[in-house]
Amino acid sequence: MSSVSSQRPGPRAGSATAEAVVNALPHPVITVAEDNRLVDANVAAEAFFEASLAVLVRHRLQEFVPFGSPILSLVEQVRTRGAAVNEYRVDLGTPRNGGERIVDIHVAPLSEVTGHVVIMLQERTIADKMDRQLTHRGAARSVTALASMLAHEIKNPLSGIRGAAQLLELSASDDDRSLTRLITDEADRIVKLVDRMEVFSDERPIEREPVNIHAVLEHVRTLATTGFARHIRFVEEYDPSLPPVLANRDQLIQVFLNLVKNAAEAIGDSPDGEIQLTTAFRPGVRLMMPGAPARVSLPLEFCVRDNGPGVPEDLMPHLFDPFVTTKPTGTGLGLALVAKIVGDHGGIIECDSQPRRTTFRVLMPMYRASRGDEKS
Ligand SMILES: Nc1ncnc2c1ncn2[C@@H]1O[C@H](COP(=O)(O)OP(=O)(O)OP(=O)(O)O)[C@@H](O)[C@H]1O
Ligand SMILES: [Mg+2]
C-alpha cells in the first residue's frame, strides 16, 4: 500500500523490474496504441506532460503536443516502416507546458503488440541547443577577421624580410649564412601558418558538385596509411546506397584528413590503434539552424572514430575554436577549419568522446537535383 507504484493505476506491460527500470530513467517514455491513445508512461513522462498516468491514458498523443507536431508523423512513419526513427531538436512546447521544450525524439515499434509504438524524449536545455548550433559558426567568424588582418599585415612585410635575408646570404660568411637561413625558414613557416588561416577569410562561394563520399574517404585513408597512420588499423563501415553529397571535393578531403590526422595523433604509438570510418543515411535527423526558417534535414552521416584516450573534458566546450590545442607543435586550426568547411556546406559537426571511443560526426544535407535545402 505504501509503495509509490501501488498508487499508479493502469495496466503496465512487463514485470515489476522492467517497470522499475523504465521509471528510473530520467527521460520521458510513453507507449501509444494504434489510435495514438497513450497506454503507458513512466514517471518522467508524467512530469514532462504535467499529468498523472491516470489522466494521460485517457487522451491521445495529439492532445499533449503542439498542433501538427512532427512527433505524430514520426509515429506514423514507425508504424508503416516497422523500424525505429529519431528526430532531433523538436519543440514540444505548448502554452500548457510553458513554452519552449526542445527534445530529441526516439520512436520505436513495440514488437509484441501491432501498432503500439514506444516514444522516448530527451530534453535539451536551451543553453545546450544554442551552444551546439553556434559553436562552430562563432569559431569560424572570430577567426575570419583575424585571418584577413594577418594576411595583409604579416605576409607583405614577411616577403620583404625574406627577400632581404636572401640578399644578405649572398655576401654572408658561412657562420652568418646559418642565421640568414634561419630567417628565411622561419619566415616560410609563418607564411604557411598565415596561408592556412587565409582559408577562413575566403568568403567566395564554394564550387560544389555531387561527390561520392566513399571515394573521398578512401582517398583520405590511402593518404593516411601511406603516411602518418601507417601503424593504425582502419575499419570501414559504409552504406553503399548513400547518395552523393553536394560538396567541394577538395574541402571534403581536408575535413576528413584533419579528422583522421587528429585520430591518429590521439592514438599515438599504441599497438592496437584503430580508426573507424562509417557512413550512414539517417533521414530522421532534422535540426534547427540559425537563420533557417524551418528545420533542416541532415540525413547524411559520416563518422571518424578512434580508440585513443579521448578529448580532455575541459577542452570539449572549445574544441572547434581556433588556436585550441594540446599538442606542442599544433596550431589548433585543424578543427576550426573542419567546422568552417562543414558549416559552409550547410552541415554540422559534433563530437562525443570517452576514453577508447571518440567520435567526430559530420551531418550533411542531402543533394537535390534542383535547388536543394543545403544552403546554410
Ligand atoms: N580524436 C581526438 N582524440 C583526442 N583529442 C582530440 C582528437 N581530435 C582533436 N583532439 C583535441 O583537440 C585539439 C584541437 O585539435 P585541432 O585539430 O583543432 O588542432 P591540433 O590537432 O592540435 O593542431 P593542428 O590540427 O594544427 O595540427 C587537439 O590538440 C587535441 O587535444
Ligand atoms: Mg589537428
Side-chain angles (χ1 to χ4, degrees):
M1 276 296 273
S2 62
S3 85
V4 178
S5 65
S6 68
Q7 295 162 2
R8 300 168 51 74
R12 279 175 182 271
S15 66
T17 345
E19 180 181 322
V21 170
V22 174
N23 276 327
L25 283 177
H27 306 299
V29 179
I30 55 176
T31 309
V32 298
E34 212 151 5
D35 56 0
N36 278 351
R37 203 169 34 82
L38 274 79
V39 290
D40 206 352
N42 69 350
V43 174
E46 290 178 311
F48 184 87
F49 292 110
E50 292 170 14
S52 69
L53 180 63
V55 172
L56 287 172
V57 296
R58 290 205 297 271
H59 292 86
R60 286 165 197 253
L61 181 60
Q62 41 270 51
E63 296 168 54
F64 290 101
V65 298
F67 180 72
S69 172
I71 195 171
L72 301 169
S73 54
L74 279 180
V75 167
E76 262 328 296
Q77 208 180 326
V78 166
R79 279 201 193 101
T80 44
R81 287 188 8 183
V85 173
N86 306 322
E87 182 145 336
Y88 296 88
R89 273 145 251 272
V90 176
D91 187 359
L92 282 191
T94 58
R96 205 173 122 152
N97 62 19
E100 196 173 51
R101 303 290 291 270
I102 307 293
V103 294
D104 292 349
I105 304 176
H106 309 272
V107 191
L110 197 64
S111 50
E112 288 95 309
V113 198
T114 340
H116 281 218
V117 166
V118 183
I119 304 166
M120 185 175 91
L121 307 176
Q122 219 171 333
E123 235 184 316
R124 298 262 162 196
T125 64
I126 295 186
D128 167 30
K129 185 183 121 212
M130 302 283 292
D131 201 34
R132 204 178 78 154
Q133 287 171 5
L134 298 179
T135 310
H136 62 272
R137 281 153 194 269
R141 253 199 309 274
S142 65
V143 81
T144 300
L146 188 61
S148 39
M149 185 274 287
L150 278 180
H152 285 101
E153 302 303 318
I154 294 189
K155 266 171 91 175
N156 293 342
L158 258 187
S159 68
I161 294 172
R162 197 181 187 285
Q166 276 178 319
L167 278 180
L168 279 177
E169 193 174 328
L170 298 175
S171 56
S173 68
D174 284 352
D175 276 357
D176 290 346
R177 199 162 295 135
S178 68
L179 292 178
T180 55
R181 283 272 157 76
L182 188 80
I183 296 174
T184 49
D185 288 352
E186 289 300 286
D188 288 347
R189 204 168 60 84
I190 299 173
V191 168
K192 239 197 244 160
L193 175 67
V194 175
D195 279 343
R196 209 169 159 205
M197 299 216 18
E198 237 173 342
V199 184
F200 289 100
S201 60
D202 192 348
E203 297 281 336
R204 282 173 305 177
I206 36 174
E207 279 173 33
R208 298 203 248 173
E209 57 186 347
V211 175
N212 176 347
I213 187 68
H214 298 135
V216 166
L217 292 176
E218 278 316 292
H219 182 72
V220 168
R221 195 189 62 135
T222 310
L223 290 177
T225 47
T226 51
F228 58 86
R230 217 169 286 134
H231 57 296
I232 293 171
R233 202 163 80 89
F234 276 75
V235 177
E236 284 111 35
E237 262 174 48
Y238 295 160
D239 175 350
S241 66
L242 209 68
V245 46
L246 186 64
N248 180 294
R249 187 186 139 88
D250 292 339
Q251 291 195 346
L252 271 194
I253 290 175
Q254 248 183 319
V255 164
F256 291 102
L257 201 55
N258 269 303
L259 293 178
V260 168
K261 195 152 173 288
N262 279 347
E265 285 164 355
I267 287 168
D269 301 329
S270 160
D272 66 343
E274 185 178 291
I275 296 177
Q276 218 180 331
L277 303 174
T278 65
T279 66
F281 190 60
R282 304 210 186 281
V285 177
R286 291 210 203 128
L287 296 166
M288 288 298 290
M289 300 280 268
R295 268 193 310 282
V296 180
S297 173
L298 300 173
L300 308 180
E301 181 194 88
F302 319 127
C303 297
V304 176
R305 179 172 299 142
D306 69 72
N307 61 357
V311 178
E313 203 164 314
D314 56 336
L315 216 64
M316 269 305 210
H318 314 287
L319 193 58
F320 297 99
D321 286 355
F323 311 119
V324 169
T325 181
T326 54
K327 299 169 194 167
T329 57
T331 63
L333 285 175
L335 287 178
L337 183 67
V338 166
K340 149 105 167 108
I341 295 175
V342 172
D344 285 351
H345 282 80
I348 62 161
I349 177 158
E350 49 188 24
C351 172
D352 275 334
S353 183
Q354 61 190 66
R356 297 197 60 80
R357 192 180 168 86
T358 296
T359 309
F360 282 85
R361 178 176 291 111
V362 175
L363 300 172
M364 291 277 216
M366 174 118 142
Y367 164 58
R368 297 212 171 75
S370 59
R371 270 170 301 128
D373 56 1
E374 68 285 334
K375 274 184 283 171
S376 56

